[in-house]
């Protein structure tokens, strides 16, 4: 979701742009699509699915982070594509245009204080607990928000990278995004644009006038252009990374998809690979997904309403007396 940023940012100006102003104190419900009440039977079915697994492979998408105050792209009524005709920057545009990189970093700079402050929610923390009990074999996330890392997840791969890191396009040196923020502040001491809201990829909307006087640093080592260390739209995920994750999936005995419509092929192919390997698939997501026909179980509910209720250890098998 993209938002207008301005020193004064009057509401009527945002309405003319076809955007909606949001304060930094939005309720979670504004980012989470509507869904029916959680079905206890569906939760029990998912509980049984998880208990049967000894080596669970989990894939998460933007739907797990909406309850932390980060909107997604595709959710009906609340996603970026539903609220505006704006689209995230394409890889080819970022790499091929200095002006595009300048616009991107100006917007990201304005959004960063809010975006980087978002914290893990109950669903993220539940998955960390699954790892601690030995239930979770591996987790792959399509998200770039670092919330799994903040929650303490260790057995994890960020499929599309992480917006909290920055890479040089020339020498491939990687630095922390917080380090770049300090450099941007030093280069733009008078640039005081203010962001109203956050986006799935830490973006906001700025006018050409606002961007015109923004300055972007180059790589300290080689002078090359800096890029968020993520797979931008139109780019491909590293093939060796995908193959290594396929190996992890092949070691699993079940797959759970959490908060993803799987409309992007880079995620959908894992569901297809699971089906190919005869690995049962369960899905927890609000609304339809591209892989519904591949799943043996589908739960239509909020991630935070279900995952914390799932036990990963059967009390009877552990000899726990009631």
């Amino acid at each position: 979701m993209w938002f207008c940023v301005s020193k004064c940012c009057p509401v009527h100006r945002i309405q003319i742009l076809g955007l909606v102003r949001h304060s930094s104190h939005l309720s979670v419900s504004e980012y989470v699509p509507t869904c029916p009440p959680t079905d206890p039977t569906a939760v029990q079915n998912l509980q049984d699915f998880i208990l049967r697994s000894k080596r669970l492979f989990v894939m998460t998408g933007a739907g797990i982070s909406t309850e932390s105050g980060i909107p997604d792209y595709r959710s009906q009524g609340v996603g970026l594509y539903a609220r505006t005709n704006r689209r995230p920057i394409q890889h080819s545009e970022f790499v091929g245009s200095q002006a595009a990189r300048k616009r991107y970093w100006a917007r990201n700079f304005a959004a960063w204080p809010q975006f980087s402050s978002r914290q893990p929610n109950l669903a993220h923390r539940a998955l960390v607990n699954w790892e601690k009990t030995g239930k979770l074999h591996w987790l792959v996330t399509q998200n770039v928000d670092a919330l799994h890392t903040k929650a303490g997840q260790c057995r994890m791969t960020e499929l599309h990278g992480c917006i909290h890191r920055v890479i040089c396009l020339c020498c491939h040196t990687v630095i922390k995004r917080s380090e770049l923020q300090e450099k941007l502040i030093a280069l733009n001491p008078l640039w005081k644009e203010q962001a109203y809201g956050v986006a799935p990829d830490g973006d906001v909307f700025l006018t050409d006038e606002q961007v015109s006087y923004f300055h972007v640093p180059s790589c300290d080592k080689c002078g090359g252009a800096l890029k968020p260390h993520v797979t931008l739209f139109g780019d491909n995920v590293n093939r060796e990374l995908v193959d290594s994750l396929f190996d992890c999936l092949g070691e699993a005995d079940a797959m759970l998809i959490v908060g993803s419509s799987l409309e992007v092929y880079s995620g959908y192919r894992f569901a297809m690979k699971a089906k190919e390997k005869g690995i049962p698939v369960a899905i927890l997501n609000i609304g339809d997904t591209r892989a519904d026909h591949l799943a043996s179980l589908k739960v239509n509910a909020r991630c935070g309403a279900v995952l914390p209720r799932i036990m990963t250890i059967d009390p009877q098998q552990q000899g726990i007396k009631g």
Side-chain angles (χ1 to χ4, degrees):
M1 197 174 308
W2 294 17
F3 301 92
C4 179
V5 292
S6 174
K7 294 174 183 175
C8 51
C9 200
V11 174
H12 71 272
R13 181 182 180 189
I14 301 174
Q15 291 173 337
I16 291 173
L17 289 170
L19 303 172
V20 180
R21 176 176 176 173
H22 286 251
S23 75
S24 61
H25 302 290
L26 285 170
S27 65
V28 168
S29 62
E30 295 199 45
Y31 293 124
V32 180
T34 57
C35 65
T38 304
D39 180 359
T41 301
V43 175
Q44 183 60 54
N45 290 339
L46 182 59
Q47 170 76 82
D48 295 341
F49 180 91
I50 299 301
L51 286 179
R52 286 194 297 270
S53 173
K54 303 299 182 184
R55 299 172 66 83
L56 182 67
F57 185 94
V58 176
M59 167 168 278
T60 67
I64 197 173
S65 295
T66 53
E67 293 175 61
S68 289
I70 298 179
D72 63 10
Y73 288 109
R74 295 177 175 82
S75 286
Q76 185 175 2
V78 296
L80 169 71
Y81 299 160
R83 292 186 179 229
T84 173
N85 59 3
R86 299 285 172 182
R87 294 296 182 266
I89 191 168
Q90 295 288 311
H91 174 80
S92 59
E93 181 185 9
F94 187 97
V95 172
S97 169
Q98 183 178 2
R101 291 194 294 272
K102 183 177 181 178
R103 286 195 302 272
Y104 174 87
W105 284 122
R107 297 193 301 251
N108 188 266
F109 173 74
W112 184 250
Q114 289 185 45
F115 185 85
S116 62
S117 69
R118 298 311 189 209
Q119 296 299 315
N121 59 55
L122 293 174
H124 294 99
R125 301 194 188 284
L127 292 173
V128 172
N129 290 333
W130 292 14
E131 180 179 310
K132 291 177 179 178
T133 66
K135 174 66 66 175
L136 191 149
H137 174 56
W138 204 260
L139 184 148
V140 57
T141 183
Q142 300 173 82
N143 301 335
V144 299
D145 52 35
L147 293 185
H148 284 296
T149 300
K150 288 182 179 181
Q153 203 82 54
C154 295
R155 298 182 63 82
M156 178 195 71
T157 298
E158 293 164 324
L159 183 63
H160 298 143
C162 182
I163 206 79
H164 287 251
R165 298 188 296 270
V166 177
I167 187 170
C168 173
L169 288 173
C170 295
C171 71
H172 307 296
T173 296
V174 176
I175 64 172
K176 293 180 180 179
R177 176 61 184 81
S178 57
E179 181 180 335
L180 177 62
Q181 189 74 358
E182 294 304 314
K183 296 178 185 295
L184 291 169
I185 291 172
L187 280 176
N188 301 276
L190 301 179
W191 205 85
K192 303 297 183 183
E193 309 300 347
Q194 198 173 10
Y196 294 88
V198 295
D201 53 357
D203 204 357
V204 293
F205 177 76
L206 289 172
T207 65
D208 290 340
E209 178 186 0
Q210 290 168 311
V211 172
S212 65
Y213 58 95
F214 188 79
H215 301 283
V216 181
S218 300
C219 174
D220 286 343
K221 288 192 174 181
C222 73
L226 299 175
K227 171 185 170 293
H229 200 2
V230 300
T231 302
L232 297 175
F233 280 74
D235 193 12
N236 296 314
V237 177
N238 180 276
R239 186 68 230 184
E240 292 182 359
L241 175 63
V242 173
D243 288 341
S244 69
L245 289 172
F246 279 167
D247 290 341
C248 285
L249 177 59
E251 297 165 353
D253 59 9
M255 178 180 183
L256 174 63
I257 298 164
V258 178
S260 177
S261 65
L262 297 180
E263 285 300 318
V264 177
Y265 179 74
S266 61
Y268 175 62
R269 60 183 158 190
F270 286 92
M272 291 195 299
K273 179 63 71 172
K275 188 68 174 181
E276 175 187 315
K277 291 178 176 291
I279 298 171
V281 175
I283 299 175
L284 169 61
N285 187 67
I286 299 175
D288 297 336
T289 83
R290 190 178 179 182
D292 283 355
H293 67 289
L294 302 176
S296 58
L297 173 64
K298 169 69 181 297
V299 180
N300 185 27
R302 290 192 300 109
C303 303
V306 174
L307 294 186
R309 297 165 60 180
I310 300 296
M311 295 178 59
T312 58
I313 300 176
D314 190 334
Q316 294 182 351
Q317 293 179 357
Q318 293 298 307
I320 299 175
K321 297 181 180 180

